[in-house]
Every structure is written in structure tokens, then in C-alpha cells.
Amino acid sequence: AQSVTQPDIHITVSEGASLELRCNYSYGATPYLFWYVQSPGQGLQLLLKYFSGDTLVQGIKGFEAEFKRSQSSFNLRKPSVHWSDAAEYFCAVGPSYNTDKLIFGTGTRLQVFP
Amino acid sequence: DVKVTQSSRYLVKRTGEKVFLECVQDMDHENMFWYRQDPGLGLRLIYFSYDVKMKEKGDIPEGYSVSREKKERFSLILESASTNQTSMYLCATVAGGPYNEQFFGPGTRLTVL
């Protein structure tokens, strides 16, 4: 069955430090992979997505992610974190069979200290 | 910009009440979804719809139903609310195609007493 694992529930970093959020997936075919961010009190917003091509994808707000098929991973990175990046981050994989369903991970909450 | 609105940001209901959560989108998207979000569990799909009057069960449909009478509107119904349905409910919409971005509403935080 398709699944997504985000092993880190909560991460704390200092402002200006680099960031890597982990995501591992289990999927039988070529996956569509997504990272969404949820700021406090808001819905989810797409940061970036990957389907094919260059395995390093750039997203909004200075984020990037790298698809590694051999490791079944799609980790999110940012070289220098800003206080406004404090939020919850969700990795997702899809589609599920012939639908547009996404499977979401359990999320990683990022806290940024000044 | 796509706009997805949900009828309430916060809602408090009593056990046994019938609860309606409404979602409206303004981009003529075919597909609409209802998720619930709980700490440590991420987003779980309740129901989705590909078109007017069409609906499909998601992963946790028990205790819920949905209605889609118009393309822009997708309603989630709790027939008899229970305390274990206290949660954040998120609506999302997407144009056809699995590679496309899902656009989310701001969510409704429902508390069932």
C-alpha cells in the first residue's frame, strides 16, 4: 500500500540555520511528490512538486527538494531559515490508483528561534 | 487566484446534533475533497467528488456524508455529531489531473461537546 513517512514530528532550528525535513514514501510506480506548508490558522499551500525530470526541484519561499529513488526519499531543504518559516510541513504522494487522491504524511512542525 | 472558502472557522456543537460544513470554490474545478486533520495523524481523506452529484468514499467515511448539488459547492454532513469528530476539517479543490496542485480552504475547527 502507498504510504508516506515523516520521521520528525517536531524540529527546532535557529534563524539563519539550514533546514532539512525528511520524507520517505512507499509507492509501486513513479510517484508524484508534493510538499505543502500550513502556517498557523491557515490552510495548506503548495511549496513544490515533482513528477519527472530533474530530481532537484525548486519551490516557493526559497525551498527546494531532492527526489532520490534509491532511497525512496523526497527531503525538503532550505539553506537559511527565516522566522516566518515556522509552520507545519506535509509531504504527500499520489496519485492513488486512477484518482487524484493524495496520501499525506503526518507532518513536521518547525519551530524557529531568533 | 483560486479561492476556497469554508462556511465557518470555528464551530461548537453538541453531541447528536446534525452538522453541516460547507465549502465553496470559485475556479470551476471538477474535483473537491474533505479532509480531517488531527495532531500526529496528518490529513485523512473523508470523501471526495469528481463532479456534481458524484461522490467517493475516502479513507475514513464513517459517520460522515457529503453533498454536491452544484459544481462550486461541496458540503460535509455529520448526521449525528460525536465527540470523536472534534477536529479540524479542511476542504480542497483541484483541476483534473493528479499532478495539479490542491488548493485548500482555511479550515473549520469543530468542537463537539
Side-chain angles (χ1 to χ4, degrees), chain B residues 13-16 36-38 41 44 46 60 62-64 78 80-89 110-113:
Chain B
K13 295 291 182 180
R14 296 203 175 273
T15 302
R36 68 176 280 176
Q37 180 182 9
D38 300 288
L41 297 178
R44 294 179 292 167
I46 305 171
I60 51 164
E62 297 78 19
Y64 304 94
L78 287 66
S80 178
S82 63
T83 54
N84 62 13
Q85 293 178 310
T86 292
S87 185
M88 170 70 85
Y89 290 88
L110 172 68
T111 302
V112 183
L113 302 176

Side-chain angles (χ1 to χ4, degrees), chain A residues 34 36 45-46 49, chain B residues 29 93-95 97 99-103:
Chain A
F34 305 79
Y36 283 85
Q45 180 186 19
L46 181 69
K49 60 186 178 182
Chain B
H29 285 173
T93 178
V94 63
Y99 187 54
N100 293 328
E101 173 182 358
Q102 288 196 13
F103 292 90

Side-chain angles (χ1 to χ4, degrees), chain A residues 91-114:
Chain A
C91 182
V93 65
S96 177
Y97 304 105
N98 293 321
T99 74
D100 293 341
K101 290 171 57 176
L102 295 181
I103 307 296
F104 283 86
T106 52
T108 298
R109 181 164 296 281
L110 174 66
Q111 193 170 8
V112 180
F113 280 116

